[in-house]
Amino acid sequence: MLQKQQLQAETIRRISGVNTRKCMKCGKCTATCPAHSEMDISPHRFVSMVENNEIDALMSSDSLWKCLSCFACVERCPRGVEPANLIEAVRVTAVRMQNRNRLLPENIPSLLNNKLPQQALVSAFRKYSK
Ligand code: SF4
Ligand code: SF4
């Protein structure tokens, strides 16, 4: 089990391009994250857990779906760690393990309305269409 999580963590670090060892655990990413109060695993903990190969907990985390893909954490991090890229990599891995796309292009027109910001649509594609 540990080996499986270790391999998954290595894959997630590779596809995200994030070097988790650069994190100095300052918490600035969490402090700047507009969604952290909704998250069960805050951005700085997310980075630590990938570093420690604790992937199973991340895969079932609400944080995957609460993250707004706004990249504020990436802008704020003094060490260039890019927590958002890690979250996205875990999210993509979780979606692939479900073996289905959650948002298909042909379903989009029925979801549109005048109040939907375009950024929400772009964010939804990033989250659900891989
Ligand atoms: S801001 Fe960067 S260095 Fe600080 S805890 Fe977050 S990821 Fe780590
Ligand atoms: S990209 Fe996600 S984790 Fe980073 S600041 Fe935005 S909502 Fe928070």
Side-chain angles (χ1 to χ4, degrees), residues 29 32-36 39 43 66-74 84 87:
C29 50
T32 202
C33 173
H36 84 271
M39 292 178 165
K66 299 289 183 182
C67 170
L68 304 168
S69 304
C70 68
F71 292 88
C73 54
V74 174
I87 294 173

Side-chain angles (χ1 to χ4, degrees), residues 3-16:
Q3 196 186 10
K4 184 190 120 209
Q5 291 199 75
Q6 207 167 349
L7 289 173
Q8 282 180 320
E10 280 167 18
T11 302
I12 284 159
R13 287 190 287 266
R14 179 172 48 77
I15 63 177
S16 66

Side-chain angles (χ1 to χ4, degrees), residues 29-87:
C29 50
T30 295
T32 202
C33 173
H36 84 271
S37 61
E38 304 283 322
M39 292 178 165
D40 52 351
I41 299 173
S42 54
H44 74 285
R45 270 192 65 215
F46 206 98
V47 175
S48 291
M49 288 173 74
V50 174
E51 171 68 13
N52 295 328
N53 304 323
E54 298 172 55
I55 302 303
D56 285 349
L58 296 178
M59 294 281 249
S60 57
S61 161
D62 273 352
S63 298
L64 297 184
W65 317 108
K66 299 289 183 182
C67 170
L68 304 168
S69 304
C70 68
F71 292 88
C73 54
V74 174
E75 291 293 318
R76 188 69 184 91
C77 177
R79 303 275 291 172
V81 175
E82 302 181 331
N85 292 356
L86 265 191
I87 294 173

